[in-house]
Amino acid sequence: MLNVTIDGIKVQVKEGSTILQAAQSVGIEIPTLCYLKDLTPEASCRICLVEIEGNPKLFTACSTPVAEGNVIHTKSEKVIAARRSVLDLMLSTHRADCFSCAKNGECQLQNLCYEYGVEQTSYEGVRNDYPIDDSNEFFTYNPQQCILCQRCVNVCQKLHGESAIGIVNRGFKAKIATPFDQLLRSTNCVSCGNCVSVCPVGALLPKSRVRFRAFETKKVPTTCTYCGVGCQLELQVKDNTVVGAQPLYGEANKGLLCVKGKFGYNFINHKDRLTKPLIRKDGVLVESEWDEAIGYIADKIKTIKAESGADALAGLSSARCSNEDNYVFQKMMRAAIGTNNVDHCARLCHASTVAGLAITLGSGAMTNSIAEAADQDVVFVTGSNTTETHPVIGSLIRQAKRKGAKIIVAEPRRIPLCREADVFLQIKPGTNVALFNGMMNVIISEGLQDQKYIDERTEGYEALCEVVKDYTPEVVAEICNIDAEELKKAARLYAKADKAGIYYAMGVTQHSTGTEGVMGTSNLALLCGKIGKYGCGVNPLRGQNNVQGACDMGCLPTDFPAYQKVFNDAAREKFERAWGVRLSGKPGLTVTEIMNAVEEGKVRGLYIMGENPMMSDPDINHVRKALENCELLVVQDIFLTETAALADVVLPGCTFAEKDGTFTNTERRVQRIRKAINCVGESKADFEILSEVMAALGYANSFRTADEVFAEMATVTPSYGGMSYERLEKGGLQWPCPTADHPGTPILHVGKFSRGERALFKPAPYRPSAETPDSEYPMIFTTGRILYHYHTSTMTGRVEGLMNISGRSYVEVNPADAAKLDIVSGDSVKVSSRRGGVIVEARVTDIVPEGVLFMPFHFADGPANLLTNTAIDPTAKIPELKVCAARIEKA
């Protein structure tokens, strides 16, 4: 430790600490304008100048390391004079129209000028005359207010990783060249808005339909409602309307947001929000009162239960709702109705993760923490378009690349991350199991496995060797349509690295062999001794904000909260005591089984909260037929979705901005959401609606607040047992966190696996997809997500800027395939499978290989899931959404 004195205060700091860090450690404020946390300081603004006794020069506090015995002054006359000179120079190029500037009251330059008494510049006639550019959908750029601090450039290049902007020209004519600037047209900008978030002045400002200034708003910290990263942000509220969002420095996002988190909030106060209950009368949904709607639902449920039993009813919970909402939902189905027929969209995305990792490791969750991605030697991404589906994690991977990490990408499409990849394996869709077996074959044959780890911490190694011996690089190259030498390179890179993490998503899970694919990732990591260690692990990336939490809460047909099995007598008796009612020990139906049972009349009533199976489930024609056959269909949502339009009763729920609660992100981190505005219209928090339904069914329920729900939940959910709102106010906690003094668990399986002392190798031979191309349907059809939309676009589809950037369905087709059919970009084409056809716009691109078609599944004008296959993984019951046979033709 080094001993220094700052403004008369003695400070002890670690060697290598800067003067700024030392001052901050004891609460001494030094002004900064260019400094950004997590970046090596460039000291370009020089406003942080300080004086060190015995040295005639001034030093920038952000970039100068302390030395033993330093005596530092941050407010001496010499320092104050120097800072005034810096501010004088900055004002020379800054248009000081403070009264009309939206940054008024929050502008850091304005605040510093006020503090140091600098009212105007002594430099006249040097300001540039560049015009304001407002061509971006979400923000404007005013070069006349730019102070060239370079924060925007640094956050774009070094933290976000896109390098979309930079400085052009010199002297007083210098400016930031933005992607929409005619001087430097860039294709890399993805409108993430991180440049806007860090701008200290009014040069970069978000567009807003509501005029406001910062001091007119209240700011409410919360957790993003989109993907599973769990970014921390601050909602800005004026007159009960959300008017802005600003990133906070959370453990997962480190001060970054994506375009959806930063600008995708306008759905909250959208005119299409459901504000009153609706009941279908004479074939038409009409507004009703809450008492009538709740009474109607309760009467119908009681009738169906009396006539056909509790298992004639089923419920679909939601990964978009809070832990509290999901806990009460499954409790309603089990305790008030009496069935385990409860599931949610994890069945369509990560059911194979829960099953596969539970078998091999004992816990079906991400093993490591998100932040570790930036500190790895090798990053292996497969089955995930990370920079689009989990953009902030994609940024961390790019940060790792800047530090020297190697990146391996195994994907059917040439995703943006391929630009940074050292190895790109453009695999044939559905061949993941063969790929992992091939990598393990190389590792074992070349003696690169961690034999000590294998001997001490695993079982089943001999069986693994027996299976993978047949998957030589040449055999796998033929199956996957890749180069055998590139496969060897990838295997060697991964095996030899000290810190190597595997990151995957639905490209691995949404297959009829999804569970085997997931176990393949685990086998590979165990083979190389990369489980239970920092910077390693198997890291499934959850698609929705609370899909991990919805699973944790027991919204699964076989599981109570914390994966306690309904057929386990001890577990069931525990919940019977807690809930005061007898419970069924019969496993319930999954999402796909529920739809079949509804169509067959075996399930007569279906309660759906926050899900949209008319867009998200495979073979939509089949889903429509089932839902239209349902005797009682209740949909609880924030908009009249494609599914809600078929309902008998529609109940208006609240968005994340209108209620308190928690989300659990993909790294198992439980984080608070906080009520920022009052509920829109007569909408209610989802757990409140469910509590009223339970009461109408005759089950006593006293939940009045989300805090009360969480408190009960923690008593029956061991992995959340040490958590409370009081603790979570100080920051999120990663489960397992069993006791009130437990710090949470950043890395699973350290020293011991969740399943016991040893992990299990569970090898599997490669099996082709359930439906493969033939003469009638000669192409492989696959689906996925894109950056600008979320799930079935219920929310993002009501954000004008996102829709302007990407507002309609399309299909990607390789140029060679397009040429054979005389198709050019922009043509209307018909894409067909054995389940139907859709007409969409063609986009001819070499992003997809020959023989493969790709469609995003977000858009109702061309629903990709009208085409997808209902074939399921026999273990996890997840549908094969990633592969089916299709054809394309001009419309």
Side-chain angles (χ1 to χ4, degrees), residues 350-371:
H350 273 288
S352 40
T353 286
V354 174
L357 295 186
I359 291 169
T360 60
L361 305 177
S363 174
M366 187 170 174
T367 62
N368 289 57
S369 297
I370 289 171

Side-chain angles (χ1 to χ4, degrees), residues 21-252:
Q21 292 168 333
Q24 289 174 337
S25 71
V26 290
I28 295 173
E29 291 189 13
I30 298 176
T32 62
L33 285 171
C34 68
Y35 174 77
L36 286 173
K37 193 173 182 178
D38 294 335
L39 285 183
T40 301
E42 294 184 349
S44 60
C45 75
R46 304 192 65 78
I47 196 67
C48 65
L49 289 168
V50 296
E51 185 177 5
I52 301 176
E53 281 189 11
N55 200 309
K57 297 195 308 180
L58 295 180
F59 296 85
T60 50
C62 70
S63 62
T64 305
V66 296
E68 175 65 31
N70 276 164
V71 177
I72 300 161
H73 301 284
T74 73
K75 297 181 175 66
S76 67
E77 290 185 11
K78 187 176 181 180
V79 166
I80 299 300
R83 290 179 185 168
R84 283 178 178 147
S85 296
V86 170
L87 292 170
D88 185 7
L89 186 60
M90 285 183 177
L91 281 181
S92 69
T93 58
H94 179 76
R95 185 182 179 89
D97 49 353
C98 298
F99 290 123
S100 61
C101 180
K103 201 82 168 184
N104 187 15
E106 203 174 40
C107 172
Q108 294 176 44
L109 179 62
Q110 180 190 54
N111 293 340
L112 287 172
C113 285
Y114 177 80
E115 180 181 348
Y116 288 92
V118 180
E119 298 182 359
Q120 60 185 16
T121 180
S122 60
Y123 301 85
E124 295 297 334
V126 296
R127 185 180 298 119
N128 68 65
D129 58 357
Y130 296 124
I132 295 174
D133 195 318
D134 66 353
S135 57
N136 187 276
E137 286 291 338
F138 296 109
F139 55 86
T140 61
Y141 172 52
N142 186 348
Q144 295 187 43
Q145 291 192 331
C146 181
I147 60 172
L148 298 176
C149 67
Q150 299 189 61
R151 273 192 184 182
C152 58
V153 175
N154 287 329
V155 76
C156 181
Q157 294 183 358
K158 300 175 183 178
L159 293 181
H160 180 57
E162 284 290 357
S163 300
I165 54 179
I167 294 182
V168 298
N169 303 332
R170 299 175 68 84
F172 290 112
K173 289 297 182 181
K175 66 177 292 189
I176 304 297
T178 66
F180 43 85
D181 190 292
Q182 296 301 315
L183 297 177
L184 182 60
R185 179 70 62 174
S186 169
T187 58
N188 291 346
C189 179
V190 291
S191 298
C192 67
N194 288 305
C195 57
V196 181
S197 297
V198 300
C199 182
V201 294
L204 285 162
L205 288 174
K207 294 179 178 177
S208 176
R209 293 178 179 176
V210 179
R211 283 181 60 85
F212 69 93
R213 291 171 293 185
F215 54 80
E216 298 176 311
T217 66
K218 70 172 182 178
K219 299 176 181 179
V220 181
T222 191
T223 302
C224 183
T225 191
Y226 287 113
C227 79
V229 177
C231 294
Q232 294 301 284
L233 55 82
E234 195 172 63
L235 293 179
Q236 295 172 278
V237 177
K238 179 183 179 182
D239 299 333
N240 206 48
T241 299
V242 176
V243 296
Q246 184 74 0
L248 296 175
Y249 194 91
E251 288 298 320

Side-chain angles (χ1 to χ4, degrees), residues 633-647:
L633 177 59
V634 180
V635 175
Q636 188 169 306
D637 216 314
I638 60 176
F639 293 106
L640 191 68
T641 64
E642 291 78 9
T643 303
L646 302 177

Side-chain angles (χ1 to χ4, degrees), residues 762-785:
K762 190 71 173 176
Y766 162 72
R767 291 185 290 115
S769 300
E771 186 176 271
T772 55
D774 56 22
S775 57
E776 186 178 4
Y777 297 98
M779 304 190 76
I780 295 175
F781 178 81
T782 190
T783 68
R785 304 177 183 215

Side-chain angles (χ1 to χ4, degrees), residues 248-262:
L248 296 175
Y249 194 91
E251 288 298 320
N253 65 307
K254 305 296 184 184
L256 297 176
L257 289 178
C258 78
V259 61
K260 297 186 293 293
K262 176 67 176 176

